[in-house]
Amino acid sequence: MKTDYDVCVIGSGAGAGPVISELSKAGKSVLVLEKGPWFTEEDYTKDEMACCRHSIYTPKLEDEQHVLEEQNNNGDWLSESTSESGWDFWNGNVVGGSSNFMSGYFYRLKPEDFRLLSEFGPIKGANIADWPVSYDEMEPYYTKVETEVGVSGKIIAHKHQEPRSTTDFPYPPTIEHPIVKNIDKACNQLNITSLATPRAILSQAANGRNSCEYSGYCGSYGCHSGAKGSARAALLDAAVKTGNCKILPDSKVYKLKSNSKGRVVEALYYDENNITRSISAKLFVVACHAIETSRLLLASTGPKHPDGLGNNYSQLGKNLLFSAGGSGTGEFHYSDMDRLAASAMKTRGPFVNRGVQDWYFFEDKAFAGKTKGGIIDFLLRHPNPISKAMSTRWNNDDNLNWGHKLKRDLKTVFTQSQDLRFEVFNDWLPTDNCFVSLDSTIKDKWGSAVAKVRLGYHEHDLKVGEFLSAKAETILQQMGAKNIRSSVSGSPPANLVAGGCRFGKDIKSSVLDADCKVHDVENLYVTDGSFMPTGGSVPYTWTIYANSFRVADIIKSRV
Amino acid sequence: MSTKLINRRQFIQFIALASAGWPISGFAARKTPAQKIIGQQDDLVYSDLADPWLSLAEVQEHLLPADESSPGAKDISALRFLRNTLDAPDADTEEKTFIINGVGWLNDLSVKNHQQPFIKLNSSAKETVLRKIETSKAGSRWLSLMMTYIIEALLSDPVYGGNKDKKGWQWLEHAAGFPTPTTEQVYYKLADNTRRRIKS
């Protein structure tokens, strides 16, 4: 049957980019339907009002929202829409997706992450599963991301270094902030291995992209130079140049229509004028954010899939993952330093490329046997001035702070110290209490049911997070930081989400097969973070990119 | 991402509270009609002020007072920022109404307790009135919004009308990123302008 395109891809972020790029380069006709607008490098300025104070790169919550379910102290699940709470679960709905706004900390998973159940055994209340593919199968694609997306870094030997097929990164590390010397010194004194954090940021011009400009505003901001390895800068622009790829921004897919054989035949979407359209293709790829991918498939009922595509065994939307852990801060007061040291500490622009993996796996008397831990990453407090100033708005007595006292507090916060933060990443164990469904009452602006997300977590996540956080605090203490504090909680970071369509060998316990094809739909693939049965204890983006390159190779052989 | 979104449920509660305890005053409504939209570069924003802007400017100056070494609300043109923002195409009309109605409530309380509108009060009486307002949920919300706009005026890019001559950034030794937005790239124009460019 003749179709409009070989492949239709829904979404354009990290999970979609490699598929779009690889298939376009292979001569396939590819249509990309992206819900958001198409900003380019010239549109991305360092404007806190656009990036972070208003919903410009994400939908307005009154137009599109989520319903979140949290458990109260009595064990009851209470739901609240995000337009009520203001808890925004969108990350970046533009061409290139949220990869435009990442900080670019890039980590591979380790071989043991692919077989968490076999390595560490079950944990009561958690649905831990081994992956149907191994690290060895993923490794060539991790390597491909280093060159195609662009990863800068430096390999330092350590006990948990994952195997690599190349000796080092293709690009040297980005320029580093002077504070890394203090981190290295403290770690050395504590017999901890301080590692250079790889970043999806070009330290040298390459592939038609510029090197980083070191403006000091990276995370939460779109990249003006093209150095950040967003799907847009690294992959989509080149895909469009092949002449085989067409990107339609402002195109919201609301249903995948399937026929009596269970095959997807059309994507139904609203165009920029909110007119319904349809497009046919031989093969469809969904990669539009873990929660939204599950939502779209749940809404895509058909003759063979009465409960949604890939949901004949009620697995769709289940085992949603976030990143567990927490964060902490320590202050370095300029008054404690000499003038040169204070001046160095105030540097803005270079990166704090330091992290610790000593406890990726560990044994400790508080835990039973060998335990899966995670990583610690260091970063400066985000430079956004409005956000920083907002922290002074309230006095300790919960009254508003204003007048001359406010001004003294502002001066202190902005000019007296540098804050070094750490973030802890550990596994968010999959459980029966973290999943996506369709809300029965709240609709988006087009009249489609919004996603309802239950946000349950496993207590083990907190225990590991607190263990790692305590280790991170010792490093800050060794550095001489003041007012050290940290927080570990079960509150999920909305920008680190995966799962919901886990891949596996058995259709009764997974949505996708090992190729990331929906088990019982012959022409539907999912390539965003939805496929992950467990998340590892690092940010997901590198793995999402790598898996999408892997699946692109599989699809290439099919169309 | 946005931290400024109004909590709708709270807002409705505020309105209900305001209706019950703080009758909506005609104070603001009977003043001269609102001036037309103030352009981003218009320095006349502080000339010939009438309510509600006159009182709002006075409140802003009390919340962020000038002193010898640092700018106050007028120095950074906080009122221009507020007006530009409330008149922006995507502004929340309920929020704008809430801000403006607050002037009526403020002056009602000021007259009731001190026999004069807010702008006529000395600094100490202004503080008393504002702290009294803060004790109600609606009043606290109103002041919180005013503070949000002042902080944004102090530290947002000057293209939005505040942070005049980058005085806010200079005072707090803040190094801005680059590039900064042009007048065609302000948040409420960015998406539409981008769409037009992509099509052309």
Side-chain angles (χ1 to χ4, degrees):
Chain A
M1 196 177 85
K2 185 166 168 33
T3 57
D4 298 323
Y5 291 88
D6 290 330
V7 179
C8 173
V9 182
I10 294 112
S12 64
V19 167
I20 295 165
S21 162
E22 291 295 293
L23 295 180
S24 300
K25 285 195 283 187
K28 313 300 180 189
S29 62
V30 179
L31 178 72
V32 181
L33 296 171
E34 165 56 52
K35 183 175 77 174
W38 193 346
F39 295 115
T40 64
E41 267 136 38
E42 66 183 283
D43 301 310
Y44 286 124
T45 66
K46 307 307 180 188
D47 179 11
E48 188 179 358
M49 296 294 278
C51 99
C52 309
R53 306 291 302 164
H54 293 267
S55 299
I56 306 304
Y57 307 137
T58 55
K60 289 184 170 54
L61 293 178
E62 58 264 36
D63 292 336
E64 299 176 65
Q65 59 183 303
H66 298 94
V67 173
L68 306 178
E69 273 191 305
E70 290 189 285
Q71 197 166 30
N72 67 11
N73 292 336
N74 297 326
D76 301 320
W77 290 96
L78 305 178
S79 64
E80 187 174 32
S81 69
T82 54
S83 66
E84 290 274 337
S85 66
W87 192 3
D88 196 331
F89 255 56
W90 298 115
N91 297 317
N93 298 102
V94 299
V95 170
S98 59
S99 63
N100 284 291
F101 310 111
M102 65 183 179
S103 301
Y105 300 99
F106 259 36
Y107 292 94
R108 301 179 179 211
L109 297 185
K110 302 194 186 299
E112 293 87 342
D113 284 313
F114 288 69
R115 45 176 201 269
L116 205 60
L117 183 62
S118 304
E119 285 283 332
F120 298 93
I123 294 175
K124 192 178 177 186
N127 305 323
I128 303 170
D130 288 349
W131 290 29
V133 300
S134 67
Y135 176 85
D136 289 345
E137 290 169 83
M138 195 70 83
E139 200 285 334
Y141 298 102
Y142 276 127
T143 300
K144 189 166 187 173
V145 173
E146 291 184 3
T147 53
E148 297 290 309
V149 175
V151 183
S152 58
K154 180 184 177 187
I155 292 297
I156 296 171
H158 66 100
K159 60 184 176 182
H160 298 316
Q161 172 64 48
E162 61 278 357
R164 294 176 52 89
S165 56
T166 57
T167 53
D168 215 331
F169 291 95
Y171 304 100
T174 52
I175 298 172
E176 295 177 342
H177 191 281
I179 203 170
V180 301
K181 290 178 185 165
N182 305 44
I183 299 173
D184 290 344
K185 183 179 173 189
C187 285
N188 190 41
Q189 289 166 338
L190 293 167
N191 201 25
I192 293 169
T193 307
S194 174
L195 299 174
T197 307
R199 282 186 186 267
I201 294 170
L202 292 180
S203 52
Q204 301 168 342
N207 302 328
R209 293 160 55 198
N210 295 319
S211 166
C212 180
E213 295 174 337
Y214 300 99
S215 98
Y217 292 75
C218 187
S220 302
Y221 284 89
C223 183
H224 178 73
S225 71
K228 192 190 288 187
S230 69
R232 174 188 52 75
L235 301 169
L236 299 183
D237 290 350
V240 171
K241 282 182 185 162
T242 66
N244 299 321
C245 172
K246 182 175 183 181
I247 298 176
L248 290 182
D250 300 302
S251 299
K252 157 71 178 172
V253 177
Y254 62 93
K255 183 171 183 175
L256 296 176
K257 190 175 168 187
S258 57
N259 64 16
S260 59
K261 294 178 181 172
R263 182 184 169 85
V264 179
V265 290
E266 285 183 323
L268 309 180
Y269 67 100
Y270 294 97
D271 71 7
E272 59 182 345
N273 298 313
N274 295 321
I275 295 169
T276 57
R277 306 273 183 195
S278 67
I279 205 85
S280 62
K282 292 175 187 162
L283 193 143
F284 293 80
V285 178
V286 180
C288 57
H289 177 274
I291 292 170
E292 294 301 298
T293 290
S294 283
R295 176 192 174 203
L296 175 61
L297 298 194
L298 284 165
S300 298
T301 55
K304 284 271 192 181
H305 301 275
D307 299 319
L309 284 167
N311 199 27
N312 284 333
Y313 289 89
S314 303
Q315 292 300 303
L316 183 55
K318 303 293 167 56
N319 297 303
L320 191 70
L321 305 168
F322 293 91
S323 181
S327 63
T329 301
E331 297 172 6
F332 295 89
H333 293 192
Y334 302 135
S335 57
D336 296 339
M337 308 169 200
D338 62 36
R339 193 176 57 81
L340 277 177
S343 176
M345 194 65 93
K346 290 178 183 177
T347 303
R348 169 76 51 76
F351 294 89
V352 180
N353 284 338
R354 285 298 181 273
V356 169
Q357 299 187 23
D358 280 24
W359 300 281
Y360 203 89
F361 313 111
F362 66 90
E363 292 195 39
D364 186 271
K365 59 182 182 296
F367 295 83
K370 186 182 176 188
T371 303
K372 175 65 200 300
I375 63 165
I376 298 162
D377 226 310
F378 291 98
L379 65 162
L380 296 179
R381 182 177 182 171
H382 199 287
N384 268 351
I386 297 170
S387 167
K388 194 187 286 187
M390 292 295 273
S391 68
T392 65
R393 229 169 32 131
W394 298 93
N395 287 313
N396 291 336
D397 59 4
D398 284 340
N399 286 327
L400 280 162
N401 187 14
W402 66 58
H404 294 290
K405 180 178 178 304
L406 169 75
K407 296 187 76 174
R408 284 193 299 275
D409 291 346
L410 282 170
K411 194 72 176 171
T412 298
V413 166
F414 275 80
T415 66
Q416 302 302 304
S417 65
Q418 179 67 277
D419 292 354
L420 182 66
R421 297 183 59 230
F422 67 81
E423 291 177 337
V424 163
F425 296 84
N426 59 280
D427 288 75
W428 180 283
L429 293 177
T431 74
D432 289 342
N433 285 323
C434 195
F435 61 87
V436 180
S437 60
L438 297 180
D439 192 75
S440 57
T441 55
I442 296 183
K443 314 288 185 194
D444 65 17
K445 67 178 180 181
W446 298 282
S448 303
V450 305
K452 183 176 189 175
V453 188
R454 180 168 285 195
L455 299 173
Y457 61 91
H458 199 292
E459 286 294 331
H460 182 80
D461 304 348
L462 303 191
K463 194 175 171 187
V464 175
E466 283 161 2
F467 175 85
L468 292 167
S469 189
K471 300 292 186 189
E473 286 198 23
T474 64
I475 298 171
L476 289 181
Q477 283 161 4
Q478 188 69 28
M479 291 175 70
K482 291 181 173 170
N483 297 326
I484 298 169
R485 64 268 188 194
S486 65
S487 167
V488 172
S489 79
S491 183
N495 61 330
L496 295 164
V497 57
C501 300
R502 59 164 43 176
F503 73 162
K505 292 175 179 170
D506 184 356
I507 190 173
K508 292 177 182 169
S509 59
S510 56
V511 176
L512 310 175
D513 66 16
D515 293 343
C516 286
K517 185 186 78 64
V518 175
H519 277 295
D520 51 358
V521 184
E522 63 180 89
N523 66 337
L524 177 60
Y525 289 77
V526 172
T527 58
D528 58 18
S530 304
F531 79 98
M532 299 173 78
T534 56
S537 42
V538 296
Y540 304 134
T541 315
W542 193 350
T543 300
I544 293 171
Y545 268 131
N547 185 60
S548 183
F549 275 116
R550 183 183 72 91
V551 177
D553 273 354
I554 294 165
I555 294 175
K556 262 191 274 186
S557 66
R558 287 203 54 196
V559 290
Chain B
M1 294 173 93
S2 170
T3 54
K4 198 181 72 64
L5 292 163
I6 281 189
N7 179 322
R8 317 293 300 180
R9 189 172 57 197
Q10 284 180 354
F11 183 82
I12 291 163
Q13 286 170 348
F14 299 147
I15 294 298
L17 273 172
S19 302
W22 269 15
I24 300 295
S25 170
F27 207 102
R30 65 175 175 263
K31 292 296 172 186
T32 52
Q35 298 168 37
K36 62 184 178 182
I37 295 174
I38 300 296
Q40 290 163 357
Q41 303 306 320
D42 189 349
D43 280 327
L44 300 177
V45 68
Y46 284 99
S47 300
D48 300 324
L49 277 180
D51 260 342
W53 311 113
L54 178 62
S55 295
L56 288 171
E58 205 71 17
V59 171
Q60 286 184 325
E61 196 64 29
H62 186 86
L63 299 178
L64 190 76
D67 58 34
E68 287 175 0
S69 59
S70 62
K74 186 174 181 181
D75 296 323
I76 59 162
S77 208
L79 186 65
R80 181 169 65 181
F81 175 88
L82 178 68
R83 297 201 62 173
N84 285 350
T85 306
L86 294 180
D87 286 334
D90 76 336
D92 185 324
T93 53
E94 286 181 345
E95 189 167 300
K96 181 176 180 178
T97 303
F98 184 59
I99 289 277
I100 290 173
N101 282 346
V103 172
W105 309 330
L106 171 79
N107 281 314
D108 282 350
L109 189 68
S110 183
V111 169
K112 181 182 169 190
N113 290 357
H114 300 275
Q115 295 75 53
Q116 294 186 93
F118 186 79
I119 61 165
K120 299 285 187 188
L121 303 182
N122 63 30
S123 180
S124 169
K126 283 176 180 165
E127 180 72 9
T128 303
V129 168
L130 293 176
R131 289 296 174 193
K132 175 69 179 172
I133 283 175
E134 193 191 6
T135 60
S136 78
K137 217 169 178 180
S140 176
R141 176 65 184 158
W142 187 78
L143 282 164
S144 173
L145 268 175
M146 289 296 292
M147 286 305 306
T148 296
Y149 283 121
I150 286 171
I151 287 171
E152 287 184 342
L154 180 70
L155 292 162
S156 62
D157 192 279
V159 74
Y160 290 102
N163 193 10
K164 187 178 178 183
D165 301 330
K166 302 181 183 176
K167 285 176 187 166
W169 289 347
Q170 286 164 7
W171 170 46
L172 294 175
E173 301 171 25
H174 173 73
F178 54 84
T180 54
T182 66
T183 54
E184 294 307 304
Q185 291 176 314
V186 293
Y187 67 85
Y188 45 85
K189 290 184 181 176
L190 185 59
D192 285 345
N193 284 345
T194 298
R195 288 185 176 103
R196 269 195 290 275
R197 192 190 70 237
I198 292 285
K199 275 185 181 176
S200 63

